[in-house]
Amino acid sequence: MANIKSQKKRILTNERNRQANVAFRSKMRTSIKKVKAACEKKDLALAEQLLPLAVSLIDKSVKEGIQKQNTASRQKSSLMLAVNALKAAAAE
């Protein structure tokens, strides 16, 4: 443990921020899983409803520095491909 008062405060701040990032990352991953689950159940309406929320959370994670842009792009692309494949299957 640090002896300097400002460093003690910094340790507390870092831990609080870490916990917030963990919670946000969990929320984001849950939303991604919900979209994928809706696609697996072939529920187009639910998937289209959940997709904007998942994409929004992914974009926010990049903005807040929780994950990198390439990771976010890959995740969004995967979700879009799944939903678009479901749309194509429903159209046929």
Side-chain angles (χ1 to χ4, degrees), residues 13-26:
T13 304
N14 288 342
E15 181 60 19
R16 187 174 64 239
N17 291 342
R18 188 185 73 80
Q19 291 293 335
N21 287 342
V22 167
F24 183 86
R25 188 177 299 117
S26 175

Side-chain angles (χ1 to χ4, degrees), residues 2 4-5 18 21-22 31 36-37 40 42-43 50 52-53 55 61 64 72 81 92:
I4 300 167
K5 188 175 183 180
R18 188 185 73 80
N21 287 342
V22 167
S31 71
K36 288 184 178 180
E40 287 176 9
K42 303 200 184 318
D43 188 351
L50 295 173
L53 174 66
V55 169
S61 72
E64 292 183 1
L81 283 172
E92 290 176 358

Side-chain angles (χ1 to χ4, degrees), residues 40-78:
E40 287 176 9
K41 292 179 185 176
K42 303 200 184 318
D43 188 351
L44 180 60
L46 181 61
E48 285 183 326
Q49 181 184 1
L50 295 173
L51 182 64
L53 174 66
V55 169
S56 173
L57 289 173
I58 291 169
D59 287 337
K60 188 174 180 184
S61 72
V62 173
K63 181 180 168 189
E64 292 183 1
I66 294 172
Q67 69 179 5
K68 296 192 179 206
Q69 178 63 47
N70 287 354
T71 306
S73 295
R74 186 178 66 246
Q75 289 171 339
K76 290 192 296 187
S77 175
S78 173

